[in-house]
Every structure is written in structure tokens, then in C-alpha cells.
Amino acid sequence: DAKTTQPPSMDCAEGRAANLPCNHSTISGNEYVYWYRQIHSQGPQYIIHGLKNNETNEMASLIITEDRKSSTLILPHATLRDTAVYYCIVRVKNYGGSQGNLIFGKGTKLSVKP
Amino acid sequence: KAGVTQTPRYLIKTRGQQVTLSCSPISGHRSVSWYQQTPGQGLQFLFEYFSETQRNKGNFPGRFSGRQFSNSRSEMNVSTLELGDSALYLCASSPRHPTDTQYFGPGTRLTVL
């Protein structure tokens, strides 16, 4: 089962920031938070990941709470093309014996409206 | 760099047939993972390969199999197709190890009639 909880759907106005929350209260110390999105019938697209510090790239920002039990993905200026299902996933990231498979939950369907 | 490529993109088969799907990872990536996506079950892990070895397998019947070649390209095979095998099959590659960030291909849409 997925280790994360996300709201099933959210709306956002075009041009505004989209803030997508994720709860991961049972996260372990060596687990990272990953975000992917899937636009209808396409392969999931990697967005960003982080361990405990806030992260930013050209697509989004990831804010992780100090206790690491929750995080927020921020799309600073949402466009219609950001309409997609967003998945928050926690997983280890090491070269030991850990398994690499991503466990997807149901994600959040973000609808960006004009 | 070119992304992950999957062939074919669309496929129609009938029950009882078998099918082989192909995945070419991002150049230089060594690990490949496969996932199945259906409306009812969502995205589910099939198997992962690293250095031509299957490292992990999801909860799928033995009709689902795969392999990885020395150039890191991978194939998956489904034998004795059932209607429920209709799905989007996704391949993801990662640079060195399955626990690295995975980058997905566009998928192969399989329809079983």
C-alpha cells in the first residue's frame, strides 16, 4: 500500500500558485519524498524529490516540514498544461539491497481552470 | 538526451495470444522497471532489472516475464493473454540502480479482445 495520503482532487486558477499537500506520517529516516505527475494516458513525469531540505527546480518547489511527516508541492504559476494527476511517493534511495519500485497511490487530480 | 522509448505504442491482441513489449532506456541508464496501469488497479509494479538481473518482482502471475539485455534494453512478455491484461504498460529507466530516480516512457497501450 502507498505510504502517503493526498486529497483526491484540487482546483487552481490559471496563473495562480498550486499547492498540493501530501501526508507521510510513517516516513523513515532514509526515505525520500518524490513527486510525479501524469497527464492523461501519458507516462508519469518526474517533477522533484527531497529528503529533508526544501528543494526547487525549474518545474516546482518542494517544501518538507521539519518533522518530515508532510510535504507540499508548489507549482508557482499554474497553466492549463499543468492539469494532471500528481503522485506523492516515499521511497529509499540507496545502492544497497533496497527495492526500487515506486508504490503509487491514487494521487491528486489537479484541474487548472482559466 | 532522448527519453525512454517504448515499442510498439499501441497493440491489439486476442485472448490466448502472447505479446512482447520493448523498452529502450535513456542512454547510459542501467536499470529498467516495468509497471502496469489499469483504471481499476492504478499503477502497479511488475518487475525491475539491473545489470541484466531481475532484482524485484511484483505480485503478478507467471504469465508475465521479462529480461534485460547487456545494452540495458529490456523486454517484457505476457503469455496466454486474458481480457484483464488490457492496460497501459510503462517502462522506467534509472541511471545506476533501481532506487535512483526513475524516468518513464510513454507506455504501450495493449488491448486484448
mmCIF file of all heavy atoms in Angstrom, chain A residues 49-80:
data_model
loop_
_atom_site.group_PDB
_atom_site.id
_atom_site.type_symbol
_atom_site.label_atom_id
_atom_site.label_comp_id
_atom_site.label_asym_id
_atom_site.label_seq_id
_atom_site.Cartn_x
_atom_site.Cartn_y
_atom_site.Cartn_z
ATOM 1 N N HIS A 49 12.290 15.721 -6.043
ATOM 2 C CA HIS A 49 12.343 14.895 -4.857
ATOM 3 C C HIS A 49 13.210 15.572 -3.800
ATOM 4 O O HIS A 49 14.006 16.470 -4.111
ATOM 5 C CB HIS A 49 12.849 13.471 -5.150
ATOM 6 C CG HIS A 49 14.326 13.383 -5.424
ATOM 7 N ND1 HIS A 49 14.864 13.650 -6.665
ATOM 8 C CD2 HIS A 49 15.353 13.023 -4.623
ATOM 9 C CE1 HIS A 49 16.172 13.470 -6.613
ATOM 10 N NE2 HIS A 49 16.504 13.089 -5.392
ATOM 11 N N GLY A 50 13.039 15.140 -2.547
ATOM 12 C CA GLY A 50 13.812 15.719 -1.454
ATOM 13 C C GLY A 50 13.840 14.813 -0.244
ATOM 14 O O GLY A 50 13.000 13.907 -0.117
ATOM 15 N N LEU A 51 14.800 15.053 0.629
ATOM 16 C CA LEU A 51 14.934 14.255 1.846
ATOM 17 C C LEU A 51 14.427 15.034 3.055
ATOM 18 O O LEU A 51 13.512 14.596 3.740
ATOM 19 C CB LEU A 51 16.387 13.853 2.065
ATOM 20 C CG LEU A 51 16.666 12.957 3.276
ATOM 21 C CD1 LEU A 51 15.938 11.625 3.140
ATOM 22 C CD2 LEU A 51 18.172 12.736 3.447
ATOM 23 N N LYS A 52 15.015 16.175 3.319
ATOM 24 C CA LYS A 52 14.520 16.982 4.445
ATOM 25 C C LYS A 52 14.610 18.481 4.188
ATOM 26 O O LYS A 52 13.878 19.238 4.795
ATOM 27 C CB LYS A 52 15.252 16.629 5.734
ATOM 28 C CG LYS A 52 16.763 16.662 5.658
ATOM 29 C CD LYS A 52 17.352 16.176 6.968
ATOM 30 C CE LYS A 52 18.861 16.117 6.890
ATOM 31 N NZ LYS A 52 19.454 15.613 8.136
ATOM 32 N N ASN A 53 15.478 18.867 3.265
ATOM 33 C CA ASN A 53 15.553 20.282 2.932
ATOM 34 C C ASN A 53 14.555 20.624 1.834
ATOM 35 O O ASN A 53 14.197 19.773 1.034
ATOM 36 C CB ASN A 53 16.958 20.630 2.452
ATOM 37 C CG ASN A 53 17.984 20.416 3.550
ATOM 38 O OD1 ASN A 53 17.737 20.703 4.713
ATOM 39 N ND2 ASN A 53 19.132 19.886 3.172
ATOM 40 N N ASN A 54 14.141 21.863 1.791
ATOM 41 C CA ASN A 54 13.283 22.310 0.705
ATOM 42 C C ASN A 54 14.073 22.270 -0.597
ATOM 43 O O ASN A 54 15.283 22.521 -0.607
ATOM 44 C CB ASN A 54 12.760 23.718 0.981
ATOM 45 C CG ASN A 54 11.909 23.763 2.246
ATOM 46 O OD1 ASN A 54 11.374 22.746 2.685
ATOM 47 N ND2 ASN A 54 11.785 24.934 2.826
ATOM 48 N N GLU A 55 13.403 21.929 -1.672
ATOM 49 C CA GLU A 55 14.039 21.810 -2.969
ATOM 50 C C GLU A 55 13.271 22.617 -4.001
ATOM 51 O O GLU A 55 12.051 22.762 -3.909
ATOM 52 C CB GLU A 55 14.096 20.351 -3.415
ATOM 53 C CG GLU A 55 14.814 19.408 -2.478
ATOM 54 C CD GLU A 55 16.329 19.581 -2.492
ATOM 55 O OE1 GLU A 55 16.841 20.218 -3.428
ATOM 56 O OE2 GLU A 55 16.983 19.067 -1.562
ATOM 57 N N THR A 56 14.000 23.143 -4.983
ATOM 58 C CA THR A 56 13.369 23.880 -6.080
ATOM 59 C C THR A 56 14.067 23.521 -7.373
ATOM 60 O O THR A 56 15.288 23.377 -7.410
ATOM 61 C CB THR A 56 13.480 25.404 -5.837
ATOM 62 O OG1 THR A 56 12.734 25.751 -4.674
ATOM 63 C CG2 THR A 56 12.910 26.190 -7.014
ATOM 64 N N ASN A 57 13.280 23.360 -8.425
ATOM 65 C CA ASN A 57 13.847 23.218 -9.761
ATOM 66 C C ASN A 57 12.995 24.025 -10.721
ATOM 67 O O ASN A 57 12.132 24.812 -10.305
ATOM 68 C CB ASN A 57 13.982 21.741 -10.161
ATOM 69 C CG ASN A 57 12.664 21.020 -10.258
ATOM 70 O OD1 ASN A 57 11.587 21.641 -10.377
ATOM 71 N ND2 ASN A 57 12.717 19.710 -10.186
ATOM 72 N N GLU A 58 13.218 23.839 -11.997
ATOM 73 C CA GLU A 58 12.539 24.665 -12.992
ATOM 74 C C GLU A 58 11.046 24.381 -13.071
ATOM 75 O O GLU A 58 10.288 25.155 -13.616
ATOM 76 C CB GLU A 58 13.177 24.476 -14.366
ATOM 77 C CG GLU A 58 13.049 23.082 -14.937
ATOM 78 C CD GLU A 58 14.078 22.099 -14.412
ATOM 79 O OE1 GLU A 58 14.879 22.484 -13.519
ATOM 80 O OE2 GLU A 58 14.079 20.941 -14.866
ATOM 81 N N MET A 59 10.632 23.262 -12.515
ATOM 82 C CA MET A 59 9.216 22.902 -12.586
ATOM 83 C C MET A 59 8.451 23.303 -11.336
ATOM 84 O O MET A 59 7.289 23.732 -11.420
ATOM 85 C CB MET A 59 9.052 21.397 -12.780
ATOM 86 C CG MET A 59 9.422 20.885 -14.155
ATOM 87 S SD MET A 59 9.115 19.112 -14.302
ATOM 88 C CE MET A 59 7.330 19.073 -14.219
ATOM 89 N N ALA A 60 9.068 23.094 -10.165
ATOM 90 C CA ALA A 60 8.300 23.224 -8.936
ATOM 91 C C ALA A 60 9.210 23.404 -7.731
ATOM 92 O O ALA A 60 10.430 23.310 -7.840
ATOM 93 C CB ALA A 60 7.445 21.962 -8.741
ATOM 94 N N SER A 61 8.568 23.638 -6.594
ATOM 95 C CA SER A 61 9.260 23.672 -5.299
ATOM 96 C C SER A 61 8.640 22.612 -4.403
ATOM 97 O O SER A 61 7.438 22.353 -4.484
ATOM 98 C CB SER A 61 9.135 25.041 -4.635
ATOM 99 O OG SER A 61 9.795 26.034 -5.382
ATOM 100 N N LEU A 62 9.492 22.030 -3.566
ATOM 101 C CA LEU A 62 9.038 21.022 -2.612
ATOM 102 C C LEU A 62 9.370 21.521 -1.213
ATOM 103 O O LEU A 62 10.542 21.794 -0.912
ATOM 104 C CB LEU A 62 9.727 19.681 -2.877
ATOM 105 C CG LEU A 62 9.492 18.560 -1.869
ATOM 106 C CD1 LEU A 62 8.015 18.216 -1.787
ATOM 107 C CD2 LEU A 62 10.311 17.331 -2.258
ATOM 108 N N ILE A 63 8.330 21.646 -0.395
ATOM 109 C CA ILE A 63 8.503 22.091 0.988
ATOM 110 C C ILE A 63 8.211 20.895 1.897
ATOM 111 O O ILE A 63 7.106 20.329 1.843
ATOM 112 C CB ILE A 63 7.533 23.238 1.334
ATOM 113 C CG1 ILE A 63 7.640 24.367 0.303
ATOM 114 C CG2 ILE A 63 7.808 23.747 2.747
ATOM 115 C CD1 ILE A 63 8.992 25.024 0.223
ATOM 116 N N ILE A 64 9.187 20.487 2.691
ATOM 117 C CA ILE A 64 9.030 19.360 3.607
ATOM 118 C C ILE A 64 9.051 19.905 5.031
ATOM 119 O O ILE A 64 9.937 20.684 5.390
ATOM 120 C CB ILE A 64 10.160 18.323 3.415
ATOM 121 C CG1 ILE A 64 10.184 17.837 1.969
ATOM 122 C CG2 ILE A 64 9.991 17.139 4.373
ATOM 123 C CD1 ILE A 64 11.354 16.921 1.632
ATOM 124 N N THR A 65 8.076 19.524 5.837
ATOM 125 C CA THR A 65 8.025 20.005 7.217
ATOM 126 C C THR A 65 9.216 19.486 8.006
ATOM 127 O O THR A 65 9.846 18.483 7.638
ATOM 128 C CB THR A 65 6.723 19.572 7.905
ATOM 129 O OG1 THR A 65 6.634 18.138 7.878
ATOM 130 C CG2 THR A 65 5.514 20.179 7.213
ATOM 131 N N GLU A 66 9.504 20.164 9.094
ATOM 132 C CA GLU A 66 10.693 19.815 9.882
ATOM 133 C C GLU A 66 10.623 18.380 10.414
ATOM 134 O O GLU A 66 11.627 17.678 10.478
ATOM 135 C CB GLU A 66 10.839 20.788 11.041
ATOM 136 C CG GLU A 66 12.209 20.738 11.706
ATOM 137 C CD GLU A 66 12.450 21.886 12.644
ATOM 138 O OE1 GLU A 66 11.778 22.936 12.503
ATOM 139 O OE2 GLU A 66 13.292 21.738 13.532
ATOM 140 N N ASP A 67 9.424 17.935 10.793
ATOM 141 C CA ASP A 67 9.279 16.564 11.282
ATOM 142 C C ASP A 67 9.157 15.548 10.148
ATOM 143 O O ASP A 67 9.076 14.343 10.395
ATOM 144 C CB ASP A 67 8.094 16.433 12.242
ATOM 145 C CG ASP A 67 6.755 16.710 11.568
ATOM 146 O OD1 ASP A 67 6.724 16.902 10.330
ATOM 147 O OD2 ASP A 67 5.738 16.773 12.273
ATOM 148 N N ARG A 68 9.152 16.030 8.929
ATOM 149 C CA ARG A 68 9.095 15.210 7.695
ATOM 150 C C ARG A 68 7.800 14.415 7.555
ATOM 151 O O ARG A 68 7.723 13.519 6.730
ATOM 152 C CB ARG A 68 10.286 14.270 7.610
ATOM 153 C CG ARG A 68 11.614 14.982 7.656
ATOM 154 C CD ARG A 68 12.727 14.320 6.862
ATOM 155 N NE ARG A 68 12.750 12.875 6.973
ATOM 156 C CZ ARG A 68 12.726 12.064 5.942
ATOM 157 N NH1 ARG A 68 12.688 12.525 4.709
ATOM 158 N NH2 ARG A 68 12.755 10.759 6.128
ATOM 159 N N LYS A 69 6.800 14.744 8.316
ATOM 160 C CA LYS A 69 5.565 13.966 8.229
ATOM 161 C C LYS A 69 4.636 14.461 7.136
ATOM 162 O O LYS A 69 3.607 13.834 6.853
ATOM 163 C CB LYS A 69 4.860 13.974 9.587
ATOM 164 C CG LYS A 69 5.642 13.207 10.649
ATOM 165 C CD LYS A 69 4.864 13.085 11.940
ATOM 166 C CE LYS A 69 5.639 12.233 12.945
ATOM 167 N NZ LYS A 69 4.911 12.048 14.206
ATOM 168 N N SER A 70 4.945 15.579 6.544
ATOM 169 C CA SER A 70 4.129 16.060 5.432
ATOM 170 C C SER A 70 4.967 16.932 4.522
ATOM 171 O O SER A 70 6.062 17.385 4.895
ATOM 172 C CB SER A 70 2.904 16.829 5.933
ATOM 173 O OG SER A 70 3.297 18.020 6.579
ATOM 174 N N SER A 71 4.456 17.157 3.328
ATOM 175 C CA SER A 71 5.154 17.999 2.366
ATOM 176 C C SER A 71 4.136 18.682 1.467
ATOM 177 O O SER A 71 2.957 18.292 1.421
ATOM 178 C CB SER A 71 6.156 17.183 1.539
ATOM 179 O OG SER A 71 5.501 16.164 0.807
ATOM 180 N N THR A 72 4.595 19.701 0.742
ATOM 181 C CA THR A 72 3.746 20.428 -0.198
ATOM 182 C C THR A 72 4.524 20.650 -1.481
ATOM 183 O O THR A 72 5.675 21.097 -1.448
ATOM 184 C CB THR A 72 3.321 21.791 0.367
ATOM 185 O OG1 THR A 72 2.603 21.588 1.588
ATOM 186 C CG2 THR A 72 2.424 22.528 -0.627
ATOM 187 N N LEU A 73 3.910 20.299 -2.578
ATOM 188 C CA LEU A 73 4.463 20.598 -3.895
ATOM 189 C C LEU A 73 3.852 21.906 -4.356
ATOM 190 O O LEU A 73 2.630 22.059 -4.328
ATOM 191 C CB LEU A 73 4.133 19.482 -4.894
ATOM 192 C CG LEU A 73 4.637 19.720 -6.307
ATOM 193 C CD1 LEU A 73 6.140 19.491 -6.373
ATOM 194 C CD2 LEU A 73 3.914 18.813 -7.310
ATOM 195 N N ILE A 74 4.690 22.821 -4.792
ATOM 196 C CA ILE A 74 4.197 24.120 -5.233
ATOM 197 C C ILE A 74 4.536 24.326 -6.702
ATOM 198 O O ILE A 74 5.709 24.265 -7.092
ATOM 199 C CB ILE A 74 4.810 25.268 -4.402
ATOM 200 C CG1 ILE A 74 4.467 25.083 -2.919
ATOM 201 C CG2 ILE A 74 4.315 26.620 -4.898
ATOM 202 C CD1 ILE A 74 5.185 26.061 -1.999
ATOM 203 N N LEU A 75 3.498 24.549 -7.508
ATOM 204 C CA LEU A 75 3.675 24.984 -8.892
ATOM 205 C C LEU A 75 3.435 26.488 -8.868
ATOM 206 O O LEU A 75 2.299 26.923 -8.658
ATOM 207 C CB LEU A 75 2.676 24.284 -9.810
ATOM 208 C CG LEU A 75 2.626 22.759 -9.741
ATOM 209 C CD1 LEU A 75 1.551 22.222 -10.687
ATOM 210 C CD2 LEU A 75 3.967 22.151 -10.068
ATOM 211 N N PRO A 76 4.457 27.287 -9.064
ATOM 212 C CA PRO A 76 4.325 28.719 -8.766
ATOM 213 C C PRO A 76 3.320 29.476 -9.635
ATOM 214 O O PRO A 76 2.646 30.382 -9.149
ATOM 215 C CB PRO A 76 5.743 29.255 -8.950
ATOM 216 C CG PRO A 76 6.458 28.234 -9.743
ATOM 217 C CD PRO A 76 5.811 26.932 -9.469
ATOM 218 N N HIS A 77 3.234 29.146 -10.890
ATOM 219 C CA HIS A 77 2.308 29.830 -11.794
ATOM 220 C C HIS A 77 1.634 28.769 -12.672
ATOM 221 O O HIS A 77 2.119 28.458 -13.754
ATOM 222 C CB HIS A 77 3.044 30.853 -12.661
ATOM 223 C CG HIS A 77 3.840 31.853 -11.889
ATOM 224 N ND1 HIS A 77 3.266 32.877 -11.169
ATOM 225 C CD2 HIS A 77 5.173 31.953 -11.682
ATOM 226 C CE1 HIS A 77 4.222 33.582 -10.567
ATOM 227 N NE2 HIS A 77 5.381 33.045 -10.858
ATOM 228 N N ALA A 78 0.560 28.219 -12.170
ATOM 229 C CA ALA A 78 -0.060 27.085 -12.854
ATOM 230 C C ALA A 78 -0.617 27.493 -14.220
ATOM 231 O O ALA A 78 -1.184 28.587 -14.378
ATOM 232 C CB ALA A 78 -1.171 26.503 -11.990
ATOM 233 N N THR A 79 -0.449 26.626 -15.197
ATOM 234 C CA THR A 79 -1.032 26.813 -16.525
ATOM 235 C C THR A 79 -1.980 25.653 -16.809
ATOM 236 O O THR A 79 -1.988 24.647 -16.086
ATOM 237 C CB THR A 79 0.050 26.858 -17.604
ATOM 238 O OG1 THR A 79 0.606 25.537 -17.765
ATOM 239 C CG2 THR A 79 1.160 27.834 -17.254
ATOM 240 N N LEU A 80 -2.740 25.789 -17.887
ATOM 241 C CA LEU A 80 -3.686 24.733 -18.245
ATOM 242 C C LEU A 80 -2.959 23.409 -18.470
ATOM 243 O O LEU A 80 -3.506 22.328 -18.227
ATOM 244 C CB LEU A 80 -4.473 25.129 -19.488
ATOM 245 C CG LEU A 80 -5.324 26.402 -19.356
ATOM 246 C CD1 LEU A 80 -6.043 26.694 -20.683
ATOM 247 C CD2 LEU A 80 -6.323 26.298 -18.225
#
